[in-house]
Amino acid sequence: MPGILASIAPLSLNSQLPNVRSPSVIPAVILAAGRSRRMGRSKPLLPLGTGETFVSRTVRSFLEAGVDDVVVVLGHEADAVASNLMESGVAARFVVNEGYQAGQLSSVLRGLNAIDRPGVAAMLLTLVDVPLVSPSTIRAVVARYKSTHAPIVRPVRGDEHGHPVLIDRSLFSLLRMADPSVGAKPVVRDHVSAEGNVAVDDDGAFFDIDTPDAYQRALRMEAAQP
């Protein structure tokens, strides 16, 4: 791709690959490759009224939660999103999914291949559509995994389930074999458990912002924050 992506090394953005000697390394993958058709504008680049965009806010929340390897999967308007990440100063890596129009699973696998290496215990997976998830929720998901080693760990609120979803490395091969027409959801559904469900009081973990109306609600939520 032309522009900024052609001028910097793949899998790089303001940081080096973290040390992975510990068997408990849990990187994060943020999916930000789609065309944002329902929104009508590029979701990763939407401002949140705090000097952040969806993508920079999402990355920053994972970093504040103590996740030291965050990979953003780019696709549509990849050059512009990469520029925004660099300007924001957040320490993330990125990969470009040239085939992002094949569906979300293609971006999941692009991110998985970027983080899968010796020493990685699991992957945190989220969407750029969910930028308001709090660092405390991310920490709670990781803590539950470390205490239970459940294959899937996710935030829940009643019958709702949200993001991020933690996927143990024992399921990586199933993701790679998943049917692209249905994506990763069957793998997640088949391995959820009571011990992997983390009850959280965090509206942002369950707020999927993919329409203009939802975006306006998100801006009102942000404006109401103390």
Side-chain angles (χ1 to χ4, degrees), residues 34 83 100 146:
S83 294
Y100 68 92
K146 289 182 176 180

Side-chain angles (χ1 to χ4, degrees), residues 57-76:
R57 171 67 170 272
T58 307
V59 171
R60 201 177 302 279
S61 292
F62 278 89
L63 296 174
E64 290 180 3
V67 179
D68 61 3
D69 185 18
V70 181
V71 171
V72 182
V73 182
L74 309 178
H76 182 63

Side-chain angles (χ1 to χ4, degrees), residues 30 36 40 44 47 50 62 80 85 120 142 176 192 198 224:
I30 299 168
S36 309
T50 57
F62 278 89
L85 284 169
V120 167
V142 172
R176 292 187 169 107
V192 296
V198 183

Side-chain angles (χ1 to χ4, degrees), residues 1-2 5-6 10 32-35 72-79 94-103 106-111:
M1 299 179 108
L5 294 177
R35 294 186 63 87
V72 182
V73 182
L74 309 178
H76 182 63
E77 297 190 8
D79 208 62
F94 67 85
V95 292
V96 179
N97 177 16
E98 300 281 2
Y100 68 92
Q101 296 190 67
S106 67
S107 290
V108 172
L109 297 181
R110 191 73 177 90

Side-chain angles (χ1 to χ4, degrees), residues 155-213:
V156 298
R157 182 175 62 184
D159 293 333
E160 296 180 279
H161 52 83
H163 287 83
V165 177
L166 185 148
I167 304 173
D168 183 77
R169 75 169 298 112
S170 64
L171 302 182
F172 288 0
S173 61
L174 293 181
L175 289 176
R176 292 187 169 107
M177 294 186 292
D179 182 346
S181 67
V182 294
K185 289 182 179 180
V187 176
V188 173
R189 284 198 302 265
D190 288 348
H191 294 87
V192 296
S193 62
E195 65 181 2
N197 287 339
V198 183
V200 300
D201 182 18
D202 176 13
D203 289 339
F206 308 96
F207 192 5
D208 190 339
I209 306 169
D210 58 3
T211 66
D213 285 346

Side-chain angles (χ1 to χ4, degrees), residues 100-145:
Y100 68 92
Q101 296 190 67
Q104 191 178 88
L105 182 63
S106 67
S107 290
V108 172
L109 297 181
R110 191 73 177 90
L112 173 61
N113 290 338
I115 62 92
D116 189 11
R117 57 193 186 271
V120 167
M123 167 179 68
L124 286 158
L125 182 66
T126 195
L127 310 173
V128 77
D129 312 43
V130 192
L132 301 183
V133 61
S134 72
S136 63
T137 291
I138 299 167
R139 286 192 291 267
V141 167
V142 172
R144 177 62 62 88
Y145 173 74

